[in-house]
């Protein structure tokens, strides 16, 4: 089904076109002027517009459409004697023109061909993007098609993009697509999770540092900005950046320059920023919790990734693709989802979005011995803990055993224990980010490898990374 935007100031013609489009099984969006059409272009697959209209005529509307989306097919309706103007319109990029009064069968064929051309172009672009990022993109629903079309329009233009969406919707995938379809595709794609780094380390991680810049900095290292030079830097959870780092990020965006911690010089960088967040940064800026000037710099183009509950028709195909990946990873043969199970999955709200669906499918496959997985597999399994609650759900309350008295409250941690817990978490994240490579993790942390090994043993992390590479 295609979304067909119909533009004509003649109410009778508009009604006839709408009836024809709906009879073909497409969605009709009728408007009576070019000015009304412009705000409705997002998500349209085909535009059918009259040539002669008061105010903005069909040619002006065509030019405006070509500036926004040159791949959107535009069909012009022309009166007899206007063929010369119609030929000019074809040279300007119109898909086709049809003379008034139009033949119903001819118009139906033109609209179907235009919708098919749009779909084939989108499919071709998606296949190229899938090849570039090495994974399938699933999104046949209208919200996802609109998002992917917007990505295709924005990616070639070297502007900063803010990607908004709930936790788990796949914002990082949008960042990868923007990079893969951009002129920077041959350059590096670097990701930086602003929420995973303690505030005191965020500046050094982003912009780098020189030797001796702070305690433990026995050697200098380049930051994520320098690593992304010539490519794209994806800033996950950008709303978590400390205020001081926000100011330095703003300068990097404005001037294309960074200053490593402890350095007395500026360095030029050529980086495209894609910022991702699950927050409403505009509201955060109004409340004074995020720099307003940085928000406007980041949101040159703003894309919103729809939650899974708004694109339920994608769930069956998405679930089967996730099943294929998990079955391959776990070595489970011939695993498949029963139709009743797919129906239950599609009917769920998925507050944790794609990430929650992926974890659910992984659990189903891990507990499967192969063959068809039925809807009962979603129910709690005897002997196993129940599935994790969705993100945002209230914590479970332990009511205890009847007759038991409440237990003693936990002893509060000392300052030393709290600091050790923070340090342990930083080191564990660095080891994970370095893929278990101790030398790389030490470089990221700005300490010697010997110091890192001592800390791994002290915090009981050595067994987890016992097979770590040097």
């Amino acid at each position: 089904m295609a979304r067909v935007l119909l533009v004509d100031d003649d109410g009778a013609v508009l009604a006839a076109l709408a009836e024809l489009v709906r009879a073909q099984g497409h969605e009709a969006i009728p408007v009576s002027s070019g000015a009304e059409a412009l705000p409705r272009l997002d998500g349209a697959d085909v535009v059918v517009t009259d040539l002669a209209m008061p105010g903005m005529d069909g040619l002006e509307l065509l030019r405006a459409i070509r500036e926004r989306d040159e791949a959107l097919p535009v069909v012009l309706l022309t009166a007899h004697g206007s063929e010369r103007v119609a030929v000019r319109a074809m040279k300007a990029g119109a898909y086709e023109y049809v003379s008034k009064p139009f033949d119903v069968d001819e118009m139906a064929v033109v609209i179907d061909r235009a919708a098919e051309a749009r779909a084939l172009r989108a499919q071709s672009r998606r296949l190229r993007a899938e090849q570039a990022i090495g994974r399938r993109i699933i999104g046949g629903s209208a919200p996802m098609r609109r998002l992917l079309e917007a990505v295709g329009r924005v990616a070639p233009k070297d502007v900063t993009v803010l990607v908004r969406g709930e936790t788990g919707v796949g914002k990082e995938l949008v960042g990868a697509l923007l990079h893969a379809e951009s002129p920077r595709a041959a350059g590096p794609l670097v990701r930086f999770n602003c929420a995973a780094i303690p505030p005191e380390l965020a500046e050094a991680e982003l912009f780098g540092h020189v030797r001796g810049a702070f305690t433990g900095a026995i050697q200098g290292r380049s930051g994520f900005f320098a690593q992304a030079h010539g490519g794209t830097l994806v800033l996950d959870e950008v709303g978590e950046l400390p205020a001081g780092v926000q100011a330095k990020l703003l300068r990097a965006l404005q001037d294309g320059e960074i200053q490593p911690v402890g350095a007395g010089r500026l360095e030029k960088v050529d980086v495209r920023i894609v910022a991702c967040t699950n927050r409403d940064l505009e509201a955060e800026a109004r409340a004074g919790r995020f720099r307003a000037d940085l928000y406007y710099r980041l949101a040159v183009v703003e894309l919103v990734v729809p939650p899974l509950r708004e694109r339920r028709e994608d769930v069956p195909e998405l679930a089967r693709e996730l099943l294929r990946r998990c079955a391959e990873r776990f070595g489970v043969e011939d695993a498949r989802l029963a139709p009743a199970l797919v129906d239950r999955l599609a009917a769920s709200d998925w507050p944790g979005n794609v990430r929650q669906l992926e974890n659910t499918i992984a659990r189903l496959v891990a507990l499967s011995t192969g063959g068809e997985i039925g809807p009962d597999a979603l129910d709690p399994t005897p002997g196993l803990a129940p599935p994790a609650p969705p993100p945002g759900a209230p914590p479970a309350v332990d009511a205890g055993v009847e007759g038991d008295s409440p237990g003693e409250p936990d002893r509060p941690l000392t300052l030393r224990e709290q600091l050790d817990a923070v340090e342990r978490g930083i080191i564990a994240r660095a080891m994970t980010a370095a893929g278990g490579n101790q030398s790389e993790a030490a470089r990221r942390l700005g300490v010697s490898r010997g110091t890192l090994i001592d800390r791994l043993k002290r915090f009981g992390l050595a067994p987890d990374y016992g097979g770590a590479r040097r």
Side-chain angles (χ1 to χ4, degrees):
M1 182 181 72
R3 301 179 81 240
V4 185
L5 180 61
L6 307 169
V7 192
D8 202 307
D9 61 318
D10 186 325
V13 173
L14 198 60
L17 283 171
E19 184 178 352
L20 168 62
V21 167
R22 292 178 184 125
Q24 291 176 271
H26 301 311
E27 178 184 354
I29 309 171
V31 296
S32 57
S33 69
E36 286 184 72
L38 288 177
R40 310 295 295 275
L41 288 175
D42 286 344
D45 298 305
V46 181
V47 176
V48 179
T49 179
D50 191 16
L51 181 61
M53 294 184 295
M56 177 182 286
D57 64 19
L59 275 177
E60 290 177 289
L61 178 58
L62 171 62
R63 294 190 193 101
I65 291 173
R66 296 290 291 174
E67 288 178 2
R68 292 179 55 172
D69 185 357
E70 61 182 16
L72 180 58
V74 179
V75 179
L76 285 171
L77 293 174
T78 64
H80 283 302
S82 301
E83 284 77 6
R84 184 172 298 178
V85 179
V87 170
R88 278 181 27 222
M90 294 290 289
K91 291 180 179 178
Y95 176 80
E96 187 60 274
Y97 72 91
V98 178
S99 298
K100 282 184 176 182
F102 58 82
D103 179 81
V104 171
D105 292 334
E106 178 190 5
M107 177 60 76
V109 169
V110 169
I111 291 175
D112 276 343
R113 279 205 311 246
E116 184 178 359
R118 176 71 163 180
L120 288 173
R121 185 184 294 265
Q123 183 180 17
S124 175
R125 187 175 65 242
R126 183 180 300 184
L127 288 173
R128 289 197 304 271
E130 288 178 345
Q131 186 176 22
I133 66 175
R135 59 187 292 189
R136 282 192 65 201
I137 302 169
I138 297 172
S141 62
M144 280 302 292
R145 283 192 293 117
R146 289 196 290 270
L147 173 65
L148 294 173
E149 287 162 10
V151 168
R153 293 197 301 272
V154 172
K157 304 172 180 68
D158 204 26
V159 296
T160 303
V161 181
L162 179 64
V163 183
R164 287 199 300 111
E166 297 177 5
T167 298
V169 293
K171 299 184 287 295
E172 68 286 346
L173 176 62
V174 175
L177 284 175
L178 287 166
H179 175 74
E181 298 188 43
S182 75
R184 296 175 177 268
L189 171 64
V190 178
R191 295 183 177 88
F192 176 75
N193 191 332
C194 304
I197 303 294
E200 61 272 14
L201 295 181
E203 181 181 351
E205 287 290 309
L206 262 183
F207 306 114
H209 63 81
V210 299
R211 180 180 179 182
F214 49 83
T215 303
I218 61 173
Q219 60 183 7
R221 66 174 296 268
S222 59
F224 283 85
F225 255 95
Q227 295 170 32
H229 182 72
T232 304
L233 175 59
V234 178
L235 298 176
D236 288 329
E237 305 305 339
V238 70
E240 303 291 338
L241 275 180
V245 181
Q246 289 180 30
K248 296 200 172 185
L249 175 58
L250 177 63
R251 184 176 67 185
L253 291 173
Q254 288 175 331
D255 305 327
E257 295 178 336
I258 61 171
Q259 183 173 14
V261 176
R265 69 187 186 283
L266 296 175
E267 297 179 3
K268 283 285 186 182
V269 287
D270 175 24
V271 174
R272 181 189 193 176
I273 297 293
V274 176
C276 303
T277 182
N278 59 7
R279 296 185 180 186
D280 183 346
L281 287 191
E282 186 176 12
E284 294 283 300
R286 285 197 302 267
R289 292 187 293 269
F290 194 84
R291 289 185 66 112
D293 47 3
L294 178 57
Y295 164 70
Y296 294 123
R297 279 281 177 179
L298 293 175
V300 176
V301 174
E302 192 165 346
L303 301 177
V304 179
V305 185
L308 203 51
R309 63 182 173 277
E310 292 181 7
R311 54 186 186 103
R312 295 179 189 274
E313 55 267 51
D314 289 336
V315 172
E317 186 181 0
L318 187 57
R320 293 186 183 100
E321 172 63 15
L322 293 172
L323 175 80
R324 182 192 65 77
R325 294 181 198 169
C326 291
E328 183 178 300
R329 180 165 28 125
F330 299 154
V332 178
E333 297 183 1
D334 192 33
R336 57 191 184 277
L337 304 176
L341 173 58
V342 174
D343 290 342
R344 281 188 64 178
L345 295 174
S348 300
D349 283 339
W350 300 110
N353 294 293
V354 177
R355 189 175 300 149
Q356 184 187 3
L357 175 61
E358 182 176 13
N359 292 339
T360 298
I361 296 295
R363 179 178 185 272
L364 295 178
V365 176
L367 295 175
S368 168
T369 56
E372 186 175 81
I373 304 174
D376 293 344
L378 288 175
D379 300 329
T381 304
L384 291 178
V397 177
D398 184 2
V401 180
E402 186 176 356
D404 285 355
S405 58
E408 290 288 328
D410 290 339
R411 176 182 62 82
L413 297 177
T414 66
L415 176 61
R416 179 70 263 170
E417 289 171 334
Q418 294 181 56
L419 292 174
D420 284 349
V422 171
E423 187 176 357
R424 186 184 191 280
I426 293 171
I427 292 173
R429 286 193 294 270
M431 286 294 292
T432 300
N437 186 311
Q438 294 173 349
S439 298
E440 172 61 18
R443 188 186 69 81
R444 288 170 176 261
L445 293 169
V447 300
S448 68
R449 183 168 175 269
T451 299
L452 175 62
I453 291 174
D454 288 341
R455 291 293 195 278
L456 290 173
K457 293 177 180 177
R458 173 182 170 185
F459 296 127
L461 295 173
D464 296 335
Y465 301 103
R469 301 184 301 277
R470 294 179 63 85

